[in-house]
């Protein structure tokens, strides 16, 4: 074949300008879509910050420690909601972590036959698919009425403890904590399970091979190897618990009055936003935005800390 | 040999190979077995209770009328509460809007991260930002969209609207879609990419015809899960899409407030009327069945890709 | 009586052992008396079930779902697969070294101390760590960095650390599953020299695909092969011949052994 003939058969040998244009256009389209993440984050930050400006300049840091929240006198302080956010999320985490990690161990180690493990694993994953508004509905009509006698008994027996000092009246912090536990369990279990599954089986064999028992292997070898993932998952769950809105709003009682007691109605920042934002006006909107800003900073820090933790604790093996 | 005997004496070991259930080590092991089993039981108990309650309470009242009728405003009729027809359609519309926004942007962003970026600061920042965005509480997405779209009447003077709700949900879907696209594309082997580029295909052709199709299942799984999450969300909708007791129809349907299953559950759960509470259970049943179906679909997709790989 | 003496010297007796994973049979009807204080090598083509059989001796196969064993594995008069046997006790007396070096993600010191501690060691730990590392011929490389991660060592050093970890708990028997297959020739040589030292104290069973290695380190050799057999799904491994290493390599009685050691297949 003559060289010139060969050339004619391939009409697109020289890249057409339209092809180059598509290639470049495609690249920049993808780039701008990636940039949307940054734009979305930036917008969220600016809107919330700008909205809270009035309240920030009026109350300053006092906002964090003032516990009165009164639309009538137009005086706002977020301490009740901050207290509620921190207490509900931390306490629910304290309950959910051992349960979730325990479940994850139960379904990754060979304690029970594999089909049982798979069934439990699937059930837990399905729990993660239940929307929080349904959890809230269930909490109102089933869980809280069922628990009330128990909470009453707690109050009667331990009323000298400030955290149990009020009589339960229905909605309150304690049922909110418990529904958060239900919500966090699948997250913690799923992430812990993944981290445990990623521990190479050669480490497990190494421990068994020198006569370690199952739980010695789990505590001394497997958990340390999986700890970065588990810790990351726990922090992620903490972020979720702080920002969780619906289930908590529906069962916490939305009280603006501060009470140490877990049996009393309380509030969280997210619940307060869900409840009041729609009907608020004037400086209440700004104070709600300020509270939203605080929530954002809290969850942001927890999430960044989670990412740092995963990198920091990762073991080489 | 003597040395070994001396050393062996320093180990406190049982003299035989038999299993001694009351030995300290075995007692500890069996109690931990028991604790782990107990914890698992506690973890799945609420799920079983909740699912069975939703099925019994919601499923038992299900009929065609409830699925197709409009809800009655609370207090109008103490016996009847109407149906959830418009909320089912509304959830479908708002979720579709959200997907229409988030899926193209998410896939585009994921393509940029996996195929174009060379690990520079911009892509590091976007990956970090994706993680941060997925941690933003959903209520804050709602507040932001309220501030940008609803209070400013950005779209043709409409305040609360289906579109605003869709935007709020799309913010929640975006990180999941980006992440799964990014990770799905990274799983595609570089050989495939080089093979395509090596025969002179352009980057656009390579990505759209070679890499993207081979990463179809992980991306599709991610999208299904993102839709499932968005469809169950309430917080971003309560002051963006609001609620409506009517069918959304007409030319400005997307620019008016719209009903959704999740907001219906929230609103009616807190009503003092029993009829409305019952309707919330029916709506929960429909929503849960829908979300479980989506999750099973996602699981099936993953299963398919695993089968193909082996 | 010479016959009795031979019986007394058998450390582990495999009696009609068959192992299968679910419906797949890996190895069938193995009879084998492994002598005490000697090095026994399991050789054979890949897929002949030699590693599976080795792992059954200290019940490592318990970790694998669906793995079942028929027959008897007798160690010092105990059938290890009786329900009243504690597999943890078994593994404390029959240690194992694996194909891939697998130190714990802990310090070198802890890698050794952990095993000793769980085995109830009451003596001087530092002394034990040093002795074990010395016996495993890796003390020189480790002595200045006992607090560094086990993964800071090279592959060959890691494997010797793993051997040190195993001998630190003073088992009677050490099982080695292709311990050198992931290592360079110099590390391999060091480990082979070490095995000669170790057999003064321990009974050693080593699986190897390297016939020269079997010839260099072992006293006894068991040759396994895999063939399609009636009633099996796919190839099933079986023991062809078990004898002193000299006999196996110089005057094997079976044709398959002869072909294999001559390098004609496998």
């Amino acid at each position: 074949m003559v060289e010139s003939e060969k050339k004619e058969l391939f009409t697109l040998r020289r890249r057409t300008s339209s092809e180059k244009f598509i290639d470049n256009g495609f690249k920049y389209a993808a780039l701008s879509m990636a940039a949307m993440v940054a734009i979305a984050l930036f917008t969220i930050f600016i809107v919330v910050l700008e909205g809270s400006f009035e309240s920030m300049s009026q109350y300053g840091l006092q906002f964090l420690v003032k516990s009165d929240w009164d639309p009538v006198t137009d005086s706002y302080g977020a301490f009740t909601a901050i207290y509620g956010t921190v207490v509900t999320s931390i306490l629910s985490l304290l309950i959910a972590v051992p349960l979730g990690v325990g479940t994850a161990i139960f379904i990754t180690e060979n304690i029970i036959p594999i089909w049982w493990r798979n069934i439990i694993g699937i059930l837990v994953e399905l729990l993660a698919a239940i929307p929080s508004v349904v959890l809230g509905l269930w909490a109102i009509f089933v869980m809280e009425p069922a628990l009330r006698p128990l909470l009453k008994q707690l109050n009667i027996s331990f009323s000298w403890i400030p955290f149990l000092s009020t009589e339960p009246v229905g909605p309150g912090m304690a049922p909110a904590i418990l529904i958060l536990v239900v919500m966090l369990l699948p997250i913690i279990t799923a992430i812990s399970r993944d981290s445990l599954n990623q521990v190479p089986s050669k480490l497990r064999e190494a421990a068994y091979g020198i006569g370690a028992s199952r739980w010695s292997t789990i505590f001394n070898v497997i958990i340390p190897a999986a700890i970065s993932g588990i810790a990351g998952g726990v922090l992620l769950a903490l972020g979720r618990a702080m920002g969780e809105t619906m289930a908590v709003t529906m069962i916490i009682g939305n009280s603006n009055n501060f009470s140490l007691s877990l049996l009393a109605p309380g509030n969280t920042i997210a619940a307060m936003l869900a409840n009041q934002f729609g009907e608020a006006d004037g400086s209440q909107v700004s104070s709600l935005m300020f509270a939203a800003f605080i929530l954002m900073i809290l969850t942001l820090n927890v999430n960044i800390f989670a990412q740092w933790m995963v990198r920091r604790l990762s073991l080489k093996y | 040999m003597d040395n070994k005997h001396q050393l062996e004496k320093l180990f406190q070991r049982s003299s035989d190979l038999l299993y001694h259930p009351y030995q300290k080590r075995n007692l500890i092991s069996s109690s931990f077995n028991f604790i782990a089993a107990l914890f698992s039981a506690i973890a799945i108990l609420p799920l079983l209770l909740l699912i069975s309650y939703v099925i019994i309470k919601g499923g038992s009242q299900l009929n065609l009328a409830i699925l197709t009728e409009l809800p009655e405003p609370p207090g109008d009729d103490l016996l009847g509460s109407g149906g959830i027809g418009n909320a089912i359609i509304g959830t479908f519309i708002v979720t579709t809007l959200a997907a229409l926004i988030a899926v193209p942007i998410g896939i585009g962003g994921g393509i940029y991260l996996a195929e174009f970026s060379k690990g520079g600061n911009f892509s590091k920042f976007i990956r970090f930002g994706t993680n941060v965005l997925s941690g933003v509480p959903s209520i804050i997405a709602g507040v932001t969209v309220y501030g940008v779209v609803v209070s400013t009447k950005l779209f043709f003077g409409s305040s609360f609207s289906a579109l605003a709700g869709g935007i709020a949900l799309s913010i929640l879907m975006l990180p999941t879609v980006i992440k799964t696209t990014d990770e799905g594309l990274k799983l595609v082997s570089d050989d495939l990419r080089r093979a395509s580029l090596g025969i002179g295909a352009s980057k656009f052709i390579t990505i759209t015809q070679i890499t993207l199709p081979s990463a179809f299942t992980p991306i599709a799984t991610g999208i299904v899960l993102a839709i499932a999450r968005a469809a169950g969300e309430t917080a971003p909708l309560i002051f963006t899409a609001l609620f409506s007791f009517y069918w959304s129809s007409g030319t400005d349907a997307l620019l008016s407030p719209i009903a959704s299953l999740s907001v219906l559950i929230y609103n009616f759960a807190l009503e003092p009327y029993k009829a409305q509470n019952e309707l919330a259970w029916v709506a929960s049943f429909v929503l849960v069945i829908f979300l479980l179906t989506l999750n099973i679909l996602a699981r099936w997709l993953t299963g398919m890709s695993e089968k193909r790989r082996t | 009586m010479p016959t009795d003496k031979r019986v007394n010297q058998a450390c582990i007796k495999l009696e009609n052992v068959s192992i299968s994973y679910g419906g797949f049979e890996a190895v069938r009807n193995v009879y084998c008396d492994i002598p005490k204080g000697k090095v026994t090598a399991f050789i054979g083509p890949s897929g002949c079930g030699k590693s599976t059989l080795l792992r059954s001796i200290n019940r490592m196969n318990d970790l694998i779902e669906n793995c079942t064993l028929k027959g008897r594995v007798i160690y010092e008069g105990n059938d290890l697969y009786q329900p009243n046997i504690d597999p943890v006790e078994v593994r404390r007396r029959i240690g194992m070294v694996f194909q891939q070096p697998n130190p714990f993600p802990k310090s070198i010191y802890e890698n050794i101390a952990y095993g000793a501690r769980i085995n109830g060691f009451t003596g001087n730990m530092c002394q034990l760590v040093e002795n074990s590392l010395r016996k495993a011929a890796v003390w020189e490389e480790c002595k200045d960095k006992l607090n560094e991660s086990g993964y800071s060592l090279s592959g060959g050093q890691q494997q010797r650390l793993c051997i040190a970890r195993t001998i630190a708990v003073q088992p009677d028997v050490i099982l080695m599953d292709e311990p050198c297959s992931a290592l360079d020739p110099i590390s391999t040589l060091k480990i082979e020299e070490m095995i000669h030292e170790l057999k003064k104290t321990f009974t050693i069973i080593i699986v190897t695909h390297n016939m020269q290695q079997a010839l260099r380190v072992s006293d006894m050799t068991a040759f396994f092969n895999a063939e399609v057999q009636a009633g099996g799904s796919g190839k099933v491994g079986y023991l062809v011949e078990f004898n002193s290493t000299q006999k196996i390599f110089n005057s094997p009685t079976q044709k398959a052994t002869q072909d294999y050691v001559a390098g004609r297949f496998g």
Side-chain angles (χ1 to χ4, degrees), chain A residues 43 47-48 50-51 277 285 289, chain B residues 140-154 239-240:
Chain A
T43 312
V47 167
V48 175
E50 198 255 355
F277 196 79
V285 173
M289 285 285 202
Chain B
I140 293 201
V143 168
T144 306
V145 172
Y146 179 88
V148 175
V149 177
V150 178
S151 68
T152 58
K153 300 190 192 293
L154 187 67
F239 31 78
T240 52

Side-chain angles (χ1 to χ4, degrees), chain B residues 1-21 23 25-26 29, chain C residues 75 78 80 84-86 88-89 92-93 116 119-123 128 168-172 200-202:
Chain B
M1 280 308 253
D2 282 342
N3 184 17
K4 180 164 191 229
H5 279 294
Q6 281 165 9
L7 260 172
E8 265 184 347
K9 277 183 205 140
L10 293 171
F11 287 88
Q12 297 178 321
R13 281 196 274 220
S14 65
S15 50
D16 54 39
L17 294 173
L18 300 182
Y19 182 78
H20 300 282
Q23 197 184 350
R25 162 166 65 78
N26 287 324
S29 257
Chain C
Y75 164 69
N78 298 290
L80 298 183
N84 62 350
I85 293 290
D86 188 347
V88 173
E89 290 296 343
R92 288 181 180 185
R93 288 173 176 74
N119 277 272
F121 181 64
T122 52
L128 180 76
V169 301
Q170 301 298 323
D172 293 336
K200 293 173 187 159
T201 347
F202 305 100

Side-chain angles (χ1 to χ4, degrees), chain C residues 15 68 152 158 205:
Chain C
E15 290 184 353
T68 48
S152 64
Q158 283 182 23
I205 308 175

Side-chain angles (χ1 to χ4, degrees), chain C residues 139-169:
Chain C
W139 171 250
E140 287 307 314
E141 292 97 322
C142 291
K143 65 179 179 193
D144 297 324
K145 47 179 187 177
L146 290 174
N147 288 320
E148 283 178 38
S149 162
Y151 284 86
S152 64
L153 299 170
S154 74
Q157 292 167 351
Q158 283 182 23
Q159 190 65 302
R160 275 175 280 151
L161 173 64
C162 292
I163 294 174
R165 178 179 70 190
T166 307
I167 58 186
V169 301

Side-chain angles (χ1 to χ4, degrees), chain A residues 19 22-23 26 31 34 37 47 98 106 123 125 127 129 131 133 135 137 142 214-215 246 277 292 300 303 307, chain B residues 29 32-33 39-40 47 50 53 112 126 131-132 135 140 146 148 178 202-204 232 234 266 269 284 295 299:
Chain A
E19 193 188 307
I22 289 177
D23 244 22
F26 183 58
L31 175 89
V37 172
V47 167
F106 195 60
L123 282 176
E125 272 174 44
L127 187 55
V133 72
L135 290 179
L137 183 72
V142 184
R214 174 189 292 146
W215 285 95
M246 299 323 295
F277 196 79
L300 186 71
N303 279 307
Q307 294 187 39
Chain B
S29 257
F32 274 118
N33 284 349
F39 281 9
S40 309
L47 171 86
L50 194 146
Y53 205 82
Y112 180 79
I126 295 295
N131 283 335
V132 171
I140 293 201
Y146 179 88
V148 175
I178 291 200
S202 71
K203 195 121 186 178
F204 175 69
T234 317
Y266 174 54
S284 297
N295 272 276
R299 181 181 290 280

Side-chain angles (χ1 to χ4, degrees), chain A residues 87-100:
Chain A
V87 165
T88 52
S89 50
I90 302 248
L91 286 183
S92 58
L93 207 63
L94 283 182
I95 303 173
V97 167
L99 290 176

Side-chain angles (χ1 to χ4, degrees), chain B residues 109-117 127 181-182 185-186 193:
Chain B
I111 288 176
Y112 180 79
L113 290 179
E115 301 282 340
F116 289 108
S117 77
R127 285 211 176 95
T181 308
D182 184 11
L185 288 175
K186 270 194 254 163
R193 239 166 245 137

